[in-house]
Amino acid sequence: MKACATLAPHTGSSTRFARGPVVFIDGCPESRLNVQTLRVMGPLDERTATMTCDSRLIDGSLIDRWLRARCAIASPMRLVDDTVKWIVHGVGKLSVPAQDTSIGIDSRAFAIEEQWTQQLNSSLERAFILTEATLTAVLPESVTLGVGSNANRSEQTHEIAGREVYVPIDQGQTWTVGQALSYWSAVSGLDLVLDPLATSTLDEPLVSPVALGLSVRDALMRIIHRYGLSIRRMIEFVNGRFHETRTVTGDPSRNKTVLPGLQKPGTQHPVMKIERSGQGAGSRQWVARAQGWRVEGTFNLAHGWDPSLEGQSDATYSRSGNSDFETYRDVYRLWVLNEDGAFSGEPFDQPAFDIQAFFGSIGVGLSVPSDPLRLLPCVTLDTTGRRKPFSVEVSTDAGSTWASYDGSDQALGDRAGVYLDSATLPAAFLAAAQAGDARVRVTASLRSPLPVEVSRWVGNPFIDVQPVNVIELGSAFVFERIDPTSIHRSAVTSGALGSLERDDTPPMTSWLTKRVNRDASVGQSRTLRLTLSDAWPTLLPGDVIHHAAGPGLDANTGPQAINPHNAVVASVRTDWLKPGSRSFAGPITVVEATVEDPR
């Protein structure tokens, strides 16, 4: 069997094994494959590589063997004790790119397709939920990690794929970012490790629902992107096998600060070129926007029919045996809130509901809603701890006394209101309606069409004012209360019944503050492109460039200098010396970063 070098640490002249990265095919170095470009992209630590080969040195059977084999790319790195450690850039399968990036008619191009990338592009085969205390496998399309009033995290952890995680239930607790990532890691097989240094971020509440029917990549990005998290991968060759650790890290400021090199006497300066672009300094208003308040009340409803159709025989208003019922179907049956004034004109002449008066200070700025409202279940809980459904009451004495409606009713689907759906209306109610003494009221909750907003200004308004940055949070934060008009108010106040009353203004304000503080687009946000001589194998997405300057560039005052602590690496691409090329003396590394100037 052919002997070949390994990726184990060793010393001495082994650093001369290769000038740049080495391509290993099934563990053996393949000198005919030359690495052209290596690239690492954040925040998921995705890695790509292109290679070239002299086509005169290979044939079809060799290419077929390469495409079936495991491919690894690694670089030797000498440590301070003169030990050489192999830095593994990527492991996967060779592929032939759709577009040949090689140069020359005698050159053949290849690329590496990592298993990590394949996992990110895949979809879940199954998810797990808790039903009646039993862990059940279901189709992922039916599962969402809910937020706000739809939060659905279990009370206890359960084992999935050897990992103790919380799981979705019908209605439950609030998910944290870390809990959501742990569940996603277990069901997707990503095997993520949560960085303990990122605890403050991982303990934040999940603010956007995560649908498990998404691709692994999309779902993962929905969880980590909003919180400034990223993934760091470490690939090691241990006991003849590749072992990969995937760590979810926190704020980039916690990652190592790197200096892109200091010039040594007689050597080329490491910073060859600095390019910056982006928006100028100034102020910006950040707005976090959640859905409006949900307020429970008891509402007197208005007539929703043409009064000219009143006064007929009782049989006219019965569905049973009445061929002309469709003409009279709404009479004495359709009762509306009239929140948009649609029933205020002829022939109805009903008063419009004062929506601003009902919502009070949280409704300032409301007039007629652009869309009709809907009746929702109550904020009050029943004795089992569930929301009370909306309830309909009727009066046969012009509102002096009220009783639950004992017929069939249903909430309207296109506006706030109810329809009394009994085949024949109760006799007492119909008689009162014919006499003009019938009244209907409903106890339910309404959602304010005015969203809840908190805001924060950042930057210097004397320089410039940038466009408002609005972050839509949907139902991530909860705003619910019970109006004094509700028939349940006294029972809740006395403690006889529970409720879901909640004002998430403080936690939403805290969330926005953290988001603003960690987002790289605050203040002066620019794109930085650094061209460095040589290779920088330890420079990774998420690192913070502490300082960099090139010939003629002052790091502190020059217009192209990098502000200390503020350049966060987004991607790193290394172009290696091509055979026969004399354009530069060694590899070149291009770093793209986002720069945030001090506030």
Side-chain angles (χ1 to χ4, degrees), residues 447-458:
R447 174 81 67 188
S448 170
L450 191 69
V452 178
E453 295 183 346
V454 297
S455 65
R456 179 182 174 187
W457 279 92
V458 180

Side-chain angles (χ1 to χ4, degrees), residues 462-540:
F462 294 100
I463 298 177
D464 186 24
V465 177
Q466 298 178 14
V468 177
N469 188 2
V470 179
I471 306 173
E472 297 289 350
L473 296 175
S475 61
F477 293 94
V478 179
F479 301 89
E480 299 192 20
R481 69 175 176 84
I482 301 174
D483 189 75
T485 60
S486 172
I487 61 174
H488 304 312
R489 177 77 267 181
S490 60
V492 171
T493 302
S494 67
L497 291 175
S499 78
L500 294 173
E501 287 186 288
R502 183 166 143 188
D503 181 356
D504 272 355
T505 301
M508 190 163 105
T509 302
S510 174
W511 180 90
L512 179 63
T513 300
K514 292 179 180 178
R515 172 67 188 272
V516 169
N517 288 341
R518 69 169 168 255
D519 198 290
S521 62
V522 178
Q524 181 177 358
S525 176
R526 297 174 182 266
T527 299
L528 171 74
R529 186 183 177 92
L530 269 177
T531 303
L532 310 175
S533 64
D534 214 340
W536 298 81
T538 60
L539 186 59
L540 298 171

Side-chain angles (χ1 to χ4, degrees), residues 226-417:
R226 191 181 289 269
Y227 294 89
L229 297 169
S230 60
I231 292 177
R232 286 285 184 95
R233 298 164 56 212
M234 175 69 71
I235 307 174
E236 297 178 294
F237 190 73
V238 181
N239 297 327
R241 299 183 64 181
F242 290 102
H243 176 72
E244 181 171 330
T245 303
R246 303 160 178 173
T247 304
V248 179
T249 65
D251 192 318
S253 65
R254 297 192 180 96
N255 297 335
K256 61 183 179 181
T257 301
V258 297
L259 274 74
L262 299 175
Q263 185 173 8
K264 298 178 181 178
T267 64
Q268 180 182 9
H269 197 287
V271 181
M272 301 172 62
K273 189 177 183 181
I274 299 178
E275 302 169 272
R276 299 182 67 174
S277 62
Q279 50 195 345
S283 65
R284 180 192 294 274
Q285 183 185 22
W286 286 67
V287 177
R289 178 181 294 162
Q291 64 183 8
W293 276 85
R294 179 171 178 165
V295 182
E296 176 189 312
T298 298
F299 309 97
N300 293 318
L301 302 181
H303 300 174
W305 62 86
D306 183 346
S308 67
L309 299 177
E310 296 176 1
Q312 305 299 314
S313 66
D314 290 355
T316 304
Y317 307 110
S318 174
R319 183 183 291 113
S320 303
N322 182 5
S323 61
D324 201 26
F325 177 74
E326 283 302 312
T327 302
Y328 299 92
R329 69 180 315 276
D330 291 339
V331 182
Y332 307 139
R333 294 172 176 269
L334 181 64
W335 298 80
V336 296
L337 187 63
N338 199 23
E339 68 276 16
D340 57 353
F343 291 83
S344 296
E346 294 291 340
F348 310 102
D349 293 326
Q350 296 298 301
F353 176 71
D354 192 339
I355 187 171
Q356 184 165 326
F358 173 70
F359 286 113
S361 61
I362 61 174
V364 173
L366 282 176
S367 54
V368 176
S370 56
D371 295 309
L373 305 182
R374 305 289 186 274
L375 295 180
L376 303 173
C378 295
V379 178
T380 301
L381 301 176
D382 61 22
T383 54
T384 67
R386 296 183 176 275
R387 288 183 185 271
K388 276 183 168 290
F390 76 90
S391 58
V392 177
E393 295 176 289
V394 296
S395 172
T396 57
D397 54 10
S400 296
T401 59
W402 294 89
S404 295
Y405 180 62
D406 57 4
S408 174
D409 60 72
Q410 57 181 259
L412 302 181
D414 59 349
R415 63 177 52 255

Side-chain angles (χ1 to χ4, degrees), residues 94-113:
L94 278 184
S95 63
V96 178
Q99 182 177 358
D100 194 333
T101 58
S102 59
I103 300 175
I105 58 176
D106 295 327
S107 183
R108 183 73 181 267
F110 295 90
I112 188 170
E113 187 173 316

Side-chain angles (χ1 to χ4, degrees), residues 40-47 114 116 231-233 540-541:
V40 184
M41 297 166 289
L44 299 182
D45 198 353
E46 297 182 76
R47 306 176 187 184
E114 281 203 293
W116 173 243
I231 292 177
R232 286 285 184 95
R233 298 164 56 212
L540 298 171

Side-chain angles (χ1 to χ4, degrees), residues 13-33:
S13 60
S14 299
T15 52
R16 296 195 298 270
F17 180 79
R19 183 177 181 181
V22 179
V23 180
F24 290 83
I25 300 295
D26 280 341
C28 294
E30 179 51 75
S31 59
R32 287 166 289 192
L33 285 169

